[in-house]
């Protein structure tokens, strides 16, 4: 990739001959079109570094709308946003799209690579296509919606965010998930919820297998209620009563030699 | 009682009894403890066994062919810049002795504050750990390195941007390949809140990062961290010493500004004894391999190397620098400076079934020195201002001791120390350091 160091002009990705530039030298405005409150950024013209620098430079309360064209699977698109921006990415995103998002709404009209919305703190990230592995990894807050399927380890080490997957989720999803909710409208792969802490999992389809210390739990009215709210927030109309709930049996919270077989 | 009678009564060896070297008393106690409890031993600290170490090297000093510098008159500078390869705001430290990563949780908030105060007083950095950034530490640390660990406890972009450098942790010397561990007695409400975990549980954090595997992914991860922090922060990659030649090359290829190499003498707050003693390689064995990797890539001194694991005095500092490190980090020694294993606490250590000089139950939360504990009363024993002074004093002594040696070797900067200043005392150390055995020109393994 041709991301540029804003300060000393060293190109990332071991490209010593890449053109050097700074954000100040090549303001995004020169390559970005601003129409009716929407900033259009064409990544065929500017670098990811310039895009992200512009997103980071937005004032704290800014609700500016961005439209990103030709993402071409670039990594770290719209990563590290802090303002309640509205960002639409038209195409496929690489690794860590909307990583560590705070407050912004980021919509990817395509597929997303590994770690979309990783460590999200708040806001909303919506993937219209499929997401690769570790979607929403360690996310603390906000909502991640994946209309298609999610790869392995969806919601790994989840720390409070909500994830709604329209299709299937791969193996080891919600591994060591600490808090938050993972909703899978399709099937779940092997070892769902392995070594789960306090996160709650809802699955509509088939679960290939449950991981260590993950058990099916009773679906009480408050669970149907929160599931209904999550589905609504994700823009879905699935019937909450068709889902099963899974959570931690909490038998591994304190190491005991009698549980050694579980590890 | 005569002297003979007394020694006979005190020492079985004096009466001709012979202790097994294979089944010594610590081994016997370990077997009996395992048989009694059905569980392995978990403890703090690093490897306790005798290992080839920096003590097995000596400086030659100046002679006919080298000019020494005047000890109390001529300058020997100590400043070091870390992370300038890609980062626009590298760390500029006054001494190459830094404080290694140790978590709030493993240590009390006051201990973290003490380390921050001490490091700041002498112009060096301190490092967070597996558990996030605390106000005590950020507020009292002029240069704070923020660790990015597999667990990502408390990880948030505001702290990432508030840090002065980011350290992606792949492993530590005490347990390469192992994740963090914090037992329930130390998981107070505050610690649990920072880690998003129920209070009181045994926390065993992940050993692998959740969203990348392998060096190709790591390169993309590092780029993401740079993007989030607008390419300002130096990015360190910390590895536990196991395959340093390959790991350092991969870390550099992945885009690290700084590589942190932790040998097996490096401490841990809580790890299985069998892991500490039997996994990983000593600092002395790892450091030259790391330097060789950097040199082959043409990155030595361009990507800085920080070495930790058993650094105790200025000679250790100077030896690491002479072998090619740019800086060192101290952990265990910093805790000792704070008061860990203080003989004045002998009675209290005895009540815990230990003794001053032996205490390693840092996992257990009952540290009488008030350092490795979350107990509100025990924590009060450590005054962070006094603790900071002790840490600063110790850091100054390390720096001055290293300067004494450097001047004797004719060096006007600590980083001018070079391998040619060193010889080895043992064949093992000669082979590991590629320095000749003292008094010979023999480097085992070198040449045909």
């Amino acid at each position: 990739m041709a991301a540029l160091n804003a300060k000393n002009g060293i190109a990332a990705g071991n490209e010593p001959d890449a053109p050097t530039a700074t954000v100040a030298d090549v303001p995004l405005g020169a390559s970005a079109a601003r129409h009716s409150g929407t900033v259009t950024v064409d990544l065929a013209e500017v670098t990811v570094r310039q895009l992200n620098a512009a997103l980071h430079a937005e004032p704290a309360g800014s609700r500016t709308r961005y439209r990103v064209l030709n993402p071409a699977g670039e990594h770290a698109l719209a990563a590290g946003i802090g303002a309640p921006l509205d960002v639409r990415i038209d195409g496929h995103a690489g690794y860590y799209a909307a990583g560590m998002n705070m407050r912004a709404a980021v919509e990817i009209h395509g597929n997303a690579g590994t770690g979309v919305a990783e460590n999200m703190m708040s806001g909303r990230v919506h993937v219209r296509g499929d997401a690769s592995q570790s979607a929403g990894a360690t996310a603390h807050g906000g909502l991640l919606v994946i209309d298609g399927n999610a790869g392995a380890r969806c919601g790994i080490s989840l720390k409070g965010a909500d994830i709604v997957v329209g299709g299937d989720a791969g193996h080891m999803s919600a591994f060591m998930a600490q808090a938050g909710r993972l909703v899978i409208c399709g099937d779940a792969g092997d070892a769902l919820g392995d070594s789960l802490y306090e996160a709650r999992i809802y699955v509509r389809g088939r679960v290939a297998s449950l991981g260590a210390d993950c058990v099916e739990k009773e679906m009480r009215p408050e669970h149907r209620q929160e599931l209904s709210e999550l589905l609504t927030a994700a823009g879905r109309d699935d019937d909450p009563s068709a889902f099963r709930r899974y959570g931690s049996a909490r038998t591994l919270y304190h190491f005991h030699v009698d549980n050694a077989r579980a590890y | 009682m005569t002297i003979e009678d007394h020694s006979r009564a005190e020492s079985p060896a004096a009466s001709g009894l012979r202790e097994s070297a294979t089944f010594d008393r610590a081994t016997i106690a370990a077997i009996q403890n395992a048989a009694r409890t059905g569980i392995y031993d978990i403890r703090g600290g690093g490897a306790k066994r005798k290992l080839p170490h920096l003590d097995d090297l000596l400086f030659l000093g100046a002679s006919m062919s080298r000019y020494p510098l005047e000890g109390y008159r001529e300058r020997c500078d100590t400043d070091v810049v870390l992370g300038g390869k890609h980062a626009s705001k590298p760390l500029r430290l006054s001494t190459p002795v830094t404080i290694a990563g140790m978590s709030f949780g493993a240590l009390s908030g006051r201990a973290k504050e003490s380390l921050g105060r001490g490091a700041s007083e002498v112009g060096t950095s301190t490092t967070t750990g597996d558990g996030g950034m605390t106000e005590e530490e950020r507020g009292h640390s002029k240069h704070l390195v923020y660790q990015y660990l597999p667990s990502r406890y408390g990880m948030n972009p505001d702290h990432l941007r508030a840090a002065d450098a980011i350290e992606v942790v792949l492993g530590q010397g005490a347990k390469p390949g192992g994740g963090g561990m914090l037992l329930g007695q130390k998981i107070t409400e505050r610690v649990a809140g920072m880690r998003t975990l129920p209070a009181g549980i045994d926390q065993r954090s992940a050993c692998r990062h959740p969203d990348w595997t392998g060096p190709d992914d790591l390169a993309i991860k590092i780029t993401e961290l740079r993007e989030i922090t607008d390419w300002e922060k130096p990015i360190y990659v910390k590895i536990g010493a196991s395959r340093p030649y390959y790991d350092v090359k991969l870390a550099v290829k992945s885009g690290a500004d700084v590589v942190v190499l932790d040998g097996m003498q490096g401490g841990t707050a809580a790890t299985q004894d069998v892991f500490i003693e039997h996994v990983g390689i000593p600092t002395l064995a790892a450091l030259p391999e790391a330097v060789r990797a950097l040199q082959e890539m043409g990155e030595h001194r361009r990507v800085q190397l920080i070495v930790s694991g058993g650094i105790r005095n200025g000679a250790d500092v100077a030896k690491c620098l002479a072998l090619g490190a740019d800086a060192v980090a101290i952990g265990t020694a910093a805790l000792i400076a704070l008061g860990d294993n203080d003989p004045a606490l002998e009675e209290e250590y005895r009540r815990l079934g230990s003794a001053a000089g032996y205490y390693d139950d840092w996992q257990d939360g009952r540290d009488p020195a008030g350092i490795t504990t979350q107990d509100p009363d025990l924590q009060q024993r450590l005054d962070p201002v006094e603790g900071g002074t002790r840490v600063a004093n110790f850091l100054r002594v390390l720096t001055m001791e290293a300067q004494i040696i450097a001047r004797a070797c004719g060096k006007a900067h600590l980083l001018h120390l070079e391998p040619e200043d060193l010889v080895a005392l043992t064949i093992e150390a000669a082979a590991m350091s590629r320095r000749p055995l003292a008094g010979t020109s023999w480097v085992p393994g070198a040449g045909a």
Side-chain angles (χ1 to χ4, degrees):
Chain A
M1 65 185 283
L4 299 174
N5 183 325
K7 299 295 180 186
N8 60 15
I10 295 173
N14 295 325
E15 293 179 356
D17 299 326
T20 58
T22 67
V23 171
D25 291 340
V26 186
L28 187 55
S31 305
R34 196 180 281 264
H35 296 294
S36 60
T38 299
V39 182
T40 301
V41 180
D42 188 347
L43 287 177
E45 303 292 330
V46 302
T47 63
V48 174
R49 177 79 289 265
Q50 288 170 289
L51 166 66
N52 285 337
L55 296 172
H56 298 172
E58 289 281 351
S62 171
R63 296 184 175 277
T64 304
R65 291 164 62 181
Y66 278 79
R67 185 164 181 181
V68 180
L69 307 179
N70 295 307
E74 289 270 22
H75 305 308
L77 290 170
I81 300 178
L85 309 176
D86 188 329
V87 179
R88 173 184 165 130
I89 297 171
D90 278 344
H92 304 312
Y95 282 42
Y96 312 128
M100 298 206 188
N101 184 53
M102 287 178 90
R103 302 183 189 91
V106 178
E107 196 164 274
I108 299 165
H109 286 254
N111 301 326
T114 294
V116 62
E118 66 87 15
N119 213 83
M120 175 163 58
M121 303 303 292
S122 60
R124 177 188 173 105
V125 175
H126 194 149
V127 181
R128 292 293 184 180
D130 297 325
S132 184
Q133 61 186 336
S134 302
T138 78
H140 288 70
L143 174 66
L144 168 63
V145 180
I146 298 161
D147 287 349
N149 302 309
R153 292 176 278 276
C154 179
I156 183 172
S157 291
L158 194 66
K159 290 172 169 56
D162 296 319
I163 303 177
V164 178
V165 181
D168 303 336
H171 67 269
M172 299 294 277
S173 287
F175 175 62
M176 293 181 84
Q178 299 168 219
R181 284 94 45 107
L182 170 63
V183 179
I184 301 168
C185 299
D187 298 337
D190 275 319
L192 177 71
D194 193 286
S195 306
L196 194 63
Y197 292 101
E198 294 294 307
R200 291 192 289 280
I201 305 172
Y202 298 96
V203 184
R204 178 171 181 163
R206 200 177 65 87
V207 175
S209 66
L210 294 175
D213 214 29
C214 182
V215 294
E216 185 174 347
K217 293 190 167 182
E218 183 192 357
M219 195 72 167
R220 296 195 297 270
E222 67 265 32
H223 302 120
R224 268 191 289 279
Q225 177 65 31
E226 76 167 5
L227 175 58
S228 174
E229 289 167 7
L230 285 166
L231 290 165
T232 302
R236 301 188 61 86
D237 57 5
D238 307 70
D239 177 7
S241 63
F243 286 73
R244 292 166 181 259
R245 179 170 77 99
Y246 302 88
S248 176
R250 303 188 178 99
T251 59
L252 302 182
Y253 278 13
H254 291 91
F255 180 82
H256 192 278
V257 70
D258 292 344
N259 293 326
R261 288 187 309 278
Y263 299 110
Chain B
M1 187 184 278
T2 65
I3 289 172
E4 288 75 18
D5 289 340
H6 188 269
S7 67
R8 197 167 292 129
E10 291 295 312
S11 163
S15 57
L17 296 173
R18 183 173 177 181
E19 186 178 5
S20 168
T22 306
F23 290 91
D24 62 9
R25 274 168 284 180
T27 304
I28 290 169
I31 291 170
Q32 292 174 338
N33 197 48
R36 187 170 60 253
T37 63
I39 187 70
Y40 42 73
D41 183 32
I42 293 173
R43 66 169 176 86
K48 288 186 164 186
R49 62 158 76 201
K50 176 108 178 106
L51 291 165
H53 195 35
L54 299 162
D55 282 340
D56 301 324
L57 299 176
L58 291 174
F59 281 99
L60 292 173
S63 58
M64 193 77 88
S65 61
R66 299 283 191 281
Y67 245 51
L69 298 185
E70 292 286 352
Y72 293 91
R73 295 180 186 84
E74 293 181 294
R75 286 191 66 80
C76 174
D77 291 326
T78 63
D79 57 301
V80 60
V81 180
L82 301 173
K85 185 180 176 191
H86 295 296
S88 63
K89 295 183 177 173
L91 254 64
R92 297 178 189 282
L93 306 182
S94 303
T95 171
V97 187
T98 67
I99 305 289
M102 291 175 275
S103 77
F104 167 70
L107 302 191
S108 70
R110 286 171 160 245
K112 292 298 283 177
E113 180 181 335
S114 302
L115 296 172
R117 285 175 177 273
S120 299
E121 198 174 320
V122 303
T124 191
S125 61
T126 186
T127 312
T128 66
D130 198 4
M133 185 187 286
T134 63
E135 277 306 309
E136 288 98 319
E137 192 166 36
R138 176 63 280 185
H140 292 98
S141 301
K142 187 175 174 209
H143 308 285
L144 182 59
V145 182
Y146 186 36
Q147 286 196 331
Y148 189 75
L149 291 127
S151 71
R152 312 276 167 86
Y153 292 138
M155 171 55 55
N156 76 63
D158 288 339
H159 287 170
L160 210 58
R161 286 185 275 257
D164 299 295
I166 298 159
E167 183 171 298
V168 180
V169 179
L170 275 78
Q172 64 185 91
K175 48 177 170 181
M181 184 188 289
L182 195 66
L183 300 186
Q185 53 268 40
K186 292 172 82 171
I187 311 269
T188 60
E189 291 288 346
R190 184 183 175 201
V191 174
M194 282 181 67
R195 299 180 185 217
T196 325
L197 286 169
I201 71 162
D202 289 344
Q203 170 252 292
R204 288 157 193 269
S205 55
C207 63
R208 297 190 300 268
H209 280 263
D211 56 357
W212 63 270
T213 47
D216 295 334
D217 281 5
L218 176 57
I220 303 171
K221 171 53 72 177
I222 286 176
T223 301
E224 183 209 9
L225 295 172
R226 290 198 193 281
E227 281 295 322
I228 289 171
T229 54
D230 292 311
W231 292 73
E232 290 181 350
K233 317 289 182 190
I235 303 215
Y236 299 9
V237 171
K238 178 175 180 175
I239 55 175
S242 57
R243 300 174 183 87
Y245 174 75
Y246 298 103
D247 289 347
V248 167
K249 283 202 166 182
L250 292 170
V252 172
K253 182 181 176 295
S254 300
D257 293 308
V258 174
V259 176
V260 182
L261 175 70
D262 190 23
M264 74 179 286
Q265 298 98 324
T268 168
T271 299
Q272 301 89 345
D273 177 77
V274 72
F275 204 152
I276 299 171
E277 296 287 356
H278 297 278
V279 183
I281 66 173
T283 303
L284 179 63
L287 168 52
E289 283 288 274
V291 173
R292 182 165 72 93
L294 291 169
Q295 287 171 335
E296 285 181 8
M297 299 179 88
E299 297 284 0
H300 189 221
R301 304 295 186 204
R302 214 165 97 83
V303 170
Q304 285 76 43
L305 178 65
I306 303 176
V307 172
S308 56
I311 309 294
R312 305 150 298 174
N313 51 47
D316 290 345
V317 175
K319 288 168 185 175
C320 287
L321 300 181
L323 287 172
D326 296 275
V328 301
I330 58 168
T332 302
L335 301 189
I336 294 170
L338 278 179
D340 174 66
N341 271 297
D342 187 341
L345 298 168
E346 181 68 36
E347 281 307 310
E348 297 198 59
Y349 287 128
R350 293 278 178 186
R351 280 200 287 276
L352 295 170
S354 187
Y358 294 81
Y359 183 69
D360 60 10
D361 287 325
W362 299 347
Q363 82 290 348
D364 161 270
R366 292 184 291 168
D367 183 353
I371 299 167
T372 60
T373 182
Q374 298 299 321
D375 181 279
D377 295 331
L378 290 173
Q379 282 184 56
Q380 295 301 317
R381 296 183 176 192
L382 181 64
D383 176 347
V385 175
E386 189 190 324
T389 301
R390 293 169 67 95
V391 171
N393 283 342
F394 179 55
L395 288 166
R396 284 195 192 97
V397 170
L398 290 181
T399 307
M400 289 188 292
E401 286 182 340
Q403 285 174 298
I404 288 165
I405 289 171
R407 285 195 190 94
C409 294
K411 305 299 197 279
H413 196 292
L414 288 183
L415 291 178
H416 294 174
L417 286 162
E418 54 193 329
E420 287 67 25
D421 294 318
L422 293 169
V423 292
L425 263 179
T426 67
I427 295 171
E428 288 91 342
M432 290 174 182
S433 67
R434 279 82 142 169
R435 299 309 308 145
L437 189 64
T440 79
S441 56
W442 181 41
V443 179

